[in-house]
């Protein structure tokens, strides 16, 4: 009986430690800024509309912008999740852009040849935590912004991005969604003052 109680106690402590390290609320944009979701949506769409000219990305399709940062312990799972998305959707169905941090002073892992790597500083300024995603429709309208999913690792809980892509694939209506409510593994972004 003593061994069972010791095991249960150790398991509870381990679970508590794990949750404190890897499960935390997504620090959405309103955690670091006082921006209403509608205003943030407009800022994201303005930043995106400026991106095609600046980066050579052509508008017209659905584009997933992937945000990650070197040194974030949560990024490995998001890269695997993104690779699964790339395997499921053809390049013509879904363009993927890896948004490089504005100060890419550290090596950013390459996500493969099907992923366009670009510096998008105007979008980066609106990201409060990584891994994160922005999904833009053919007309440049924001479809989704926030974490890829909930859960201790990317893709292990509710898959927000996949849900939106599935709705698009099934020709269901998609309402722009800024997701600031998720529990998972995230690294907060500290923006440099300019």
């Amino acid at each position: 009986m003593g061994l069972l109680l010791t095991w249960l106690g150790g398991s509870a402590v381990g679970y508590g430690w794990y949750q404190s390290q890897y499960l935390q609320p997504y620090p959405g944009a309103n955690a670091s800024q006082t921006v209403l979701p509608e205003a943030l949506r407009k800022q994201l769409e303005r930043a995106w509309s400026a991106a095609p000219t600046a980066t050579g990305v052509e508008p017209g399709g659905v584009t997933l912008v992937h945000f990650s940062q070197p040194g974030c312990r949560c990024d490995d799972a998001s890269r695997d999740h993104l690779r699964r998305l790339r395997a499921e959707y053809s390049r013509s169905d879904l363009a993927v852009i890896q948004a490089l941090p504005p100060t890419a002073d550290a090596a950013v892992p390459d996500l493969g040849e099907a992923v366009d790597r670009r510096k998008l500083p105007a979008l980066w300024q609106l990201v409060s935590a990584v891994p994160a995603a922005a999904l833009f429709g053919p007309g440049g309208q924001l479809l989704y912004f926030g974490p890829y999913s909930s859960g201790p690792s990317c893709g292990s809980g509710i898959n927000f991005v996949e849900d939106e892509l599935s709705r698009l694939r099934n020709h269901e209506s998609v309402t722009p969604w800024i997701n600031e409510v998720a529990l998972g593994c995230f690294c907060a972004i500290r923006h440099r003052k300019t």
Side-chain angles (χ1 to χ4, degrees):
M1 183 65 160
L3 184 59
L4 177 63
L5 289 175
T6 302
W7 178 80
L8 286 173
S11 294
V13 168
Y15 181 73
W17 175 85
Y18 180 80
Q19 279 197 312
S20 71
Q21 296 296 309
Y22 294 98
L23 289 177
Q24 57 188 342
Y26 182 74
N30 288 329
S32 61
Q33 308 168 10
T34 53
V35 177
L36 297 174
E38 181 62 18
L40 179 57
R41 181 189 64 78
K42 288 178 181 178
Q43 288 176 341
L44 287 160
E45 287 176 350
R46 265 194 308 274
W48 179 244
S49 69
T53 303
T55 66
V57 176
E58 295 299 324
V62 175
T63 303
L64 173 66
V65 181
H66 170 77
F67 300 93
S68 63
Q69 183 167 286
C72 175
R73 68 183 183 280
C74 308
D75 279 343
D76 288 341
S78 76
R79 285 191 297 275
D80 291 340
H81 190 192
L82 190 57
R83 285 184 188 103
R84 285 193 308 272
L85 285 174
R86 291 298 316 131
E88 185 175 340
Y89 292 89
S90 71
R91 193 170 189 160
S92 61
D93 291 336
L94 179 67
V96 177
I97 297 173
Q98 181 180 16
L100 300 173
T103 55
D105 48 3
V108 177
D110 191 346
L111 297 175
E113 64 185 47
V115 177
D116 194 7
R117 295 165 54 99
R118 304 289 178 182
K119 283 196 176 186
L120 301 169
L123 280 174
W124 256 103
Q125 287 302 312
L126 301 170
V127 175
S128 58
V130 294
L135 194 59
F136 292 96
Q141 77 277 17
L142 178 72
L143 303 173
Y144 176 80
F145 179 68
Y148 277 89
S149 63
S150 65
S153 67
C154 194
S156 65
I158 300 168
N159 292 302
F160 305 118
V161 171
E162 287 183 47
D163 288 349
E164 296 303 305
L165 289 171
S166 178
R167 284 185 188 94
L168 288 169
R169 181 183 268 177
N170 294 328
H171 306 288
E172 298 173 22
S173 66
V174 176
T175 303
W177 181 29
I178 295 176
N179 183 1
E180 298 177 331
V181 186
L183 188 65
C185 185
F186 310 109
C187 299
I189 302 291
R190 290 179 182 81
H191 296 286
R192 292 183 181 171
K193 303 287 184 204
T194 54

